[in-house]
Amino acid sequence: IQPIIEYLSEHDEINTKTAMNLTGKSSSTVWRYLNKLCEVGVLTQTGKTNKAVYKRCFTTDKQLEEN
């Protein structure tokens, strides 16, 4: 999950394909990771199945500095 969290520190959203590339894990494993992050309030899911996009629910310190 750590590569996904690191990616989200600089990006507002992620999809399954990107998460698979970052982690080297299968789509079903990545789906479980992303759903767990949704359950704990880190992400919200928009769309269904292969078209799903997971949007970050938190703001990074870097974004706060820019505003």
Side-chain angles (χ1 to χ4, degrees), residues 3-66:
I4 295 171
I5 301 216
E6 289 172 8
Y7 179 87
L8 290 168
S9 71
E10 296 191 16
H11 300 86
D12 292 332
E13 60 187 36
I14 191 168
N15 60 33
T16 305
K17 185 175 182 179
T18 301
M20 287 172 60
N21 289 336
L22 290 170
T23 62
K25 302 290 184 182
S26 69
S27 61
S28 57
T29 298
V30 164
W31 183 82
R32 283 193 303 273
Y33 290 167
L34 295 172
N35 279 329
K36 187 63 166 174
L37 291 171
C38 288
E39 287 176 16
V40 297
V42 173
L43 298 174
T44 57
Q45 180 181 347
T46 305
K48 300 282 182 187
T49 61
N50 294 338
K51 304 273 187 201
V53 174
Y54 298 85
K55 296 188 179 189
R56 184 179 64 200
C57 296
F58 63 92
T59 303
T60 65
D61 292 338
K62 184 178 179 181
Q63 287 177 315
L64 291 174
E65 291 171 5
E66 292 172 357

